[in-house]
C-alpha cells in the first residue's frame, strides 16, 4: 500500500518506519523540513532504543522516505495524521492548530476515496469536525480514528506488537475497517486484537487510557502520603495490592509522579473537554489527579530541605536524572527538572546529570548546571537526589558515591534503591512514602 504519514515527531516517525518495515511504501511528511531531512538521512531527533537501527534498515529497503513537501502525499491511499496536540499556552485545552494545518495541507491532494486516519490524541468530537471539513471542501475522502498507545522508550515494540488496535469509523463504514485491516495485516496475523468503535469512542479510548494510568499513579502517590503520615511503606503496600490481578502491579510505582509530553497535557485537555460538555465530575476527578501529581514535586523539595537541616541556601545538590522517565531523552514537563529548578530558586547549588537527556535539559533550562557524569554531579554534594530511575542510577551502590560527596544523604525520588543497604553504609536515606 502507498501510505503517507503527516507529522514526523515521535509518533509519526516511528509509525512511518514501522509501516514501511511491515511492507508498505511510506512517505513521512513534516512541515519542519530540517527534521524531515534528518530522518531521511537516518538521524532521528530523539533517543529511542531500537528505533535508529530500524530506521536505517527500513530506509535501505527504498520503501520509506521523509520530506518537507506536502505534495508527496499525492497518490497515497491512506494518510495517517500524527501531528502533536500540545497544551494551549494559556489554558488547559488541546492546541489543535497543527492538526488543522495538516488537514489543510492535505486537502489539495485528496481526489478520490482516500482514507484520512487520525492518530493524534484529540478532544472528543475532533474527528467529526475533520470529516465535516473534508465534506465541505467537496472531498470524497473518509475519516477514521486509530489512536496510538505507544510509550516512549518502547515505541517500536508498542507499534509492532500493540496490546490492541482501536479503529474508530463512521457507522457502517466497512471500507475504512477493511483498509485498516490491510494496513495492519501482519500485526493482526500475529494475534493483536482489533476493537471497532465509532469515531467518538475511539477518540475517548485514548484519553481514558492515559487518564486511568495517571489516576493509578496519583492513587499510589496519595497512598504514599498516607504511608508517610502513618509510618508505613508504600513500596510494600504497592507490591501487596498489586498481587491482586484486578489491581495489577504496573503503574503503582510511587515517588515523584508523572510528567512527559502526554499524561499531564492529556488529563488537562480531557478535563477541559469534559467541562465543556458539562461532565463536571470527570473534570473534577482529573483536576484532583493533576494536583496530587504536582504536589509530589513539592514533597521532594521538602524532603531535600529536611535532609539539609531545613536550609537549602548554599546546599550543594546532585540531581540524577533530567528526562521525564528512563530510556528517553524527553524533558517535556519533567518532574526531575521541575524539582531541580525549584531547589535552585530556593538558593541551592544544583548540578543535574542524565545519560541521554543532558543536552535537552541544557536547552530547556539554560539556568541549570547540567554536567555529564554522576561523579561531577555528586562531587562535594550535601545531598544526592535520584529523580529519574535510569538503570545506571538504580544500580548505584553506596560505595560508588561515598568518596565523592560531602554529606552521605540520598533522596530516592523513585523508590528504587535499597534503604537497608544505604543506611548500613552510613547514609541517611529518605524516600517519599517510606519510613
Ligand atoms: C504514555 C502512555 O503510557 C502511552 O500508552 C501513551 O501512548 C503515551 O503516553 C501517549 O499518549 O503518547 P509515556 O508518556 O511515554 O506514555 O510514558 P509512561 O510510561 O506512561 O510514563 C509517564 C510518566 O509516569 C513518567 O513520568 C513516569 O515516570 C511516570 N510513572 C509511571 C510513575 O510515576 N509511576 C509509575 O508507576 C509509572
Amino acid at each position: 500500500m502507498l501510505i503517507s504519514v503527516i507529522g514526523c515527531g515521535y509518533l509519526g516517525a516511528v509509525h512511518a518506519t514501522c509501516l514501511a518495515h511491515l511492507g508498505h511504501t511510506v512517505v513521512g511528511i513534516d512541515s519542519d523540513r530540517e527534521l524531515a531531512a534528518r530522518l531521511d538521512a537516518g538521524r532521528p531527533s530523539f533517543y529511542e532504543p531500537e528505533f535508529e537501527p530500524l530506521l536505517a534498515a527500513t530506509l535501505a529497503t527504498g520503501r520509506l522516505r521523509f520530506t518537507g513537501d506536502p505534495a508527496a502525499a499525492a497518490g497515497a491511499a491512506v494518510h495517517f495524521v500524527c501531528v502533536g496536540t500540545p497544551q494551549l499556552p494559556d489554558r488547559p485545552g488541546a492546541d489543535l492548530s497543527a492538526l488543522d494545518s495538516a488537514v489543510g495541507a492535505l486537502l489539495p491532494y485528496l481526489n478520490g476515496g482516500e482514507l484520512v486516519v487520525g492518530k493524534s490524541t484529540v478532544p472528543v468530537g475532533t474527528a467529526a469536525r475533520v470529516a465535516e471539513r473534508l465534506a465541505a471542501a467537496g472531498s470524497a475522502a473518509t475519516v477514521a480514528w486509530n489512536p496510538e498507545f505507544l510509550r516512549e522508550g518502547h515505541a517500536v515494540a508498542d507499534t509492532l506488537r500493540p496490546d490492541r488496535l482501536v479503529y474508530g469509523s463512521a457507522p457502517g463504514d466497512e471500507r475504512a475497517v477493511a483498509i485498516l485491516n490491510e494496513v495492519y495485516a501482519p500485526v493482526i496475523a500475529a494475534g493483536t486484537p482489533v476493537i471497532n468503535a465509532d469515531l467518538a469512542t475511539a477518540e475517548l479510548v485514548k484519553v481514558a487510557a492515559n487518564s486511568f494510568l495517571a489516576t493509578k499513579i496519583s492513587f499510589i502517590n496519595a497512598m504514599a502520603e498516607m504511608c508517610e503520615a502513618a509510618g508505613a511503606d508504600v513500596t510494600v503496600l504497592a507490591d501487596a495490592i498489586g498481587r491482586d490481578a484486578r489491581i495489577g502491579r504496573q503503574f503503582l510505582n510511587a515517588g515523584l509522579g508523572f510528567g512527559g509530553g502526554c499524561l499531564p497535557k492529556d488529563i488537562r485537555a480531557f478535563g477541559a473537554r469534559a467541562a465543556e460538555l458539562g461532565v463536571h465530575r470527570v473534570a473534577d476527578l482529573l483536576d484532583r489527579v493533576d494536583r496530587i501529581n504536582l504536589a509530589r514535586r513539592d514533597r521532594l523539595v521538602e524532603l531535600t530541605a529536611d535532609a539539609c537541616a531545613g536550609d537549602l541556601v548554599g546546599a550543594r545538590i546532585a540531581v540524577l536524572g533530567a528526562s521525564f522517565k528512563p530510556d528517553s531523552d524527553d524533558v517535556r514537563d519533567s518532574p526531575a527538572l521541575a524539582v531541580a529548578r525549584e531547589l535552585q530558586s530556593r538558593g541551592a547549588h544544583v548540578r543535574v546529570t542524565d545519560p541521554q537527556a543532558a543536552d535537552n535539559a541544557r536547552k530547556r533550562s539554560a539556568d541549570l548546571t547540567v554536567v555529564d557524569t554522576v561523579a561531577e554531579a555528586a562531587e562535594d554534594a550535601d545531598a544526592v537526589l535520584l529523580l529519574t530511575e535510569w538503570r545506571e542510577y538504580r544500580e548505584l551502590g553506596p560505595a560508588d558515591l561515598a568518596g565523592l560527596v560531602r554529606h552521605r544523604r540520598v533522596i530516592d525520588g523513585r523508590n528504587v534503591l535499597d534503604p537497608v543497604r544505604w543506611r548500613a553504609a552510613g547514609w541517611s536515606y529518605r524516600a517519599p512514602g517510606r519510613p
Side-chain angles (χ1 to χ4, degrees), residues 214-230:
T215 304
K216 203 171 174 188
I217 299 168
S218 279
F219 175 83
I220 200 64
N221 281 327
M223 292 306 109
E225 286 183 29
M226 195 62 207
C227 285
E228 282 185 28

Side-chain angles (χ1 to χ4, degrees), residues 259-260 297 321-324 330-339 341 388:
R297 303 172 185 194
S323 56
F324 82 103
D330 194 340
V331 297
R332 285 177 293 170
D333 198 355
S334 162
L337 284 186
V339 168
R341 279 193 298 264
T388 312

Side-chain angles (χ1 to χ4, degrees), residues 75-135:
V78 183
H79 304 277
F80 280 99
V81 180
C82 296
V83 295
T85 51
Q87 189 174 320
L88 285 163
D90 53 345
R91 278 173 290 138
D95 180 351
L96 297 177
S97 55
L99 182 86
D100 290 337
S101 313
V103 172
L106 190 56
L107 264 173
Y109 307 104
L110 299 174
N111 338 301
E114 295 93 346
L115 186 63
V116 176
V117 187
K119 285 198 84 68
S120 308
T121 303
V122 290
V124 61
T126 304
R129 194 168 60 74
V130 171
E132 276 164 26
R133 182 167 173 202
L134 296 185

